[in-house]
Amino acid sequence: MGRPTLNSVAEAAAVSRQTVSNVINSPEVVSPETRERVQAAIERLGYRPNTAARQMRTTRSQIIGLCIPPSGNGVSGVVLDQFLHSLTATAERYDHRIMLFTAADDEAETRAYADLIASVGIDGFVLTNTHHDDLRTRWLLERELPFVTFGRPWGAEDTHPWVDVDGAAGTRLATDHLLRQGHRRIAFVGWPEGSGSGDDRRAGWAAGLAAAGLGEGPQAAVYDGVEGGRSAAVRLLDASGPAGRDRSASLPGGGPAESSHTGAPTAFVCASDSLALGVTAELRDRGIRPGADAAVIGFDDTPTASVLGLSSVAQPIADVAAECVRQLRAILRGEAPAGPATTLFTPHLVLRST
């Protein structure tokens, strides 16, 4: 038996050759029932598209570039790993491959773009870690090169295609939940001002307090990581005087403490799980029980959060990755909308013991 072909798959699935091609290259135009039947035939026969022939027809390499940023200081770096895995799996379903590379900064990354385009003929790029005045996106836009970002172009949301998660909605969910539990001194532990995603997450917490008529709550800005979270908790608890050093000031499940210690935070909304883990460590060292005496909610819902029982805001990373591939493929196929495509996913709250 010879190597399976497009024709043999079409015969096995009782469809036309063009329908098989559509399932491989444009599955969205095929009905779910037909798509499932063709996919079953492809798997049963072991058919693999002839990538070399396709490249000759389309002058495309089927390669998507992604720069891996330097490893972060916290467990939340696992989010990038989850994104990369989902991105690779989705791209492979459309016969694309992800090429990873590294760069020390934005300038080095743009030089890498130029090298890869010249040497590999890379089709397009997916960018992460977007920030204000992003040199990388400006470089790609000026050259009209295909790309999409995981993260908004902060302050210029209509300049290029992007996919992101609504961080403000996530921290608002966390804050509203804590308010319903009776907490009134809800602190925010985040990153220094100027981080797009960090500022976004702070805004959701502030909006929740404002809607409850509480005004601005206590907050601390630190660099990401467990030690950063611990130092923020020290700062917030010590600033409240004896309340931060005595379990008697804590808020049991019944409601807010009405005493001279009401200045102590009874709950903490954190911009990452790394920060939240640092906060819980400091609380325990002071004899304050996370989940019983004070509430803590992180962000990212990392595996570490699950293992340690940390409540957290979960991002739909697999959906983000799939949408990045969909948007980039639309650009490459000339099917992108007139304006930049933008997608903002809503996270959800995962409640555990803290």
Side-chain angles (χ1 to χ4, degrees), residues 66 79-80 82-88 90-91 93 126-129 148-152 161-167 201 299-300 314-328 342-347:
L66 174 69
V79 173
L80 179 61
Q82 295 170 344
F83 174 72
L84 176 58
H85 182 274
S86 297
L87 187 77
T88 302
T90 304
R93 287 203 294 271
V126 174
L127 281 63
T128 62
N129 289 2
V148 63
T149 65
F150 173 14
R152 277 162 278 180
W162 55 263
V163 184
D164 203 2
V165 176
D166 192 339
R201 295 176 189 186
F299 202 110
D300 289 331
Q315 301 190 64
I317 296 299
D319 293 339
V320 170
E323 180 62 12
C324 283
V325 173
R326 190 199 69 77
Q327 286 192 14
L328 189 56
T342 62
T343 305
L344 187 63
F345 286 98
T346 301

Side-chain angles (χ1 to χ4, degrees), residues 140-338:
L140 291 164
L141 284 169
E142 288 172 354
R143 291 158 180 79
E144 298 183 346
L145 296 170
F147 75 97
V148 63
T149 65
F150 173 14
R152 277 162 278 180
W154 301 100
E157 279 76 2
D158 59 351
T159 54
H160 65 70
W162 55 263
V163 184
D164 203 2
V165 176
D166 192 339
T171 50
R172 178 68 186 268
L173 284 172
T175 304
D176 287 348
H177 168 77
L178 294 170
L179 289 166
R180 289 193 298 271
Q181 298 302 305
H183 294 274
R184 290 299 177 267
R185 289 286 292 174
I186 303 172
F188 181 77
V189 178
W191 305 312
E193 190 174 353
S195 158
S197 57
D199 293 347
D200 191 43
R201 295 176 189 186
R202 182 184 294 104
W205 160 80
L209 294 185
L214 297 178
E216 188 172 76
Q219 58 182 299
V222 292
Y223 289 102
D224 199 34
V226 175
E227 286 308 310
R230 182 186 284 274
S231 68
V234 169
R235 190 185 314 167
L236 291 164
L237 293 168
D238 286 353
S240 63
R245 296 185 286 275
D246 187 340
R247 187 189 298 178
S248 65
S250 62
L251 183 147
E258 296 295 343
S259 73
S260 60
H261 301 314
T262 54
T266 63
F268 299 81
V269 174
C270 303
S272 74
D273 285 349
S274 300
L275 294 174
L277 292 172
V279 170
T280 59
E282 182 61 26
L283 290 174
R284 289 192 176 99
D285 285 353
R286 293 172 181 243
I288 302 171
R289 299 167 299 168
D293 302 325
V296 182
I297 299 179
F299 202 110
D300 289 331
D301 193 34
T302 58
T304 303
S306 177
V307 169
L308 298 181
L310 175 69
S311 296
S312 187
V313 176
Q315 301 190 64
I317 296 299
D319 293 339
V320 170
E323 180 62 12
C324 283
V325 173
R326 190 199 69 77
Q327 286 192 14
L328 189 56
R329 291 187 74 245
I331 296 169
L332 294 172
R333 293 154 54 85
E335 298 172 355

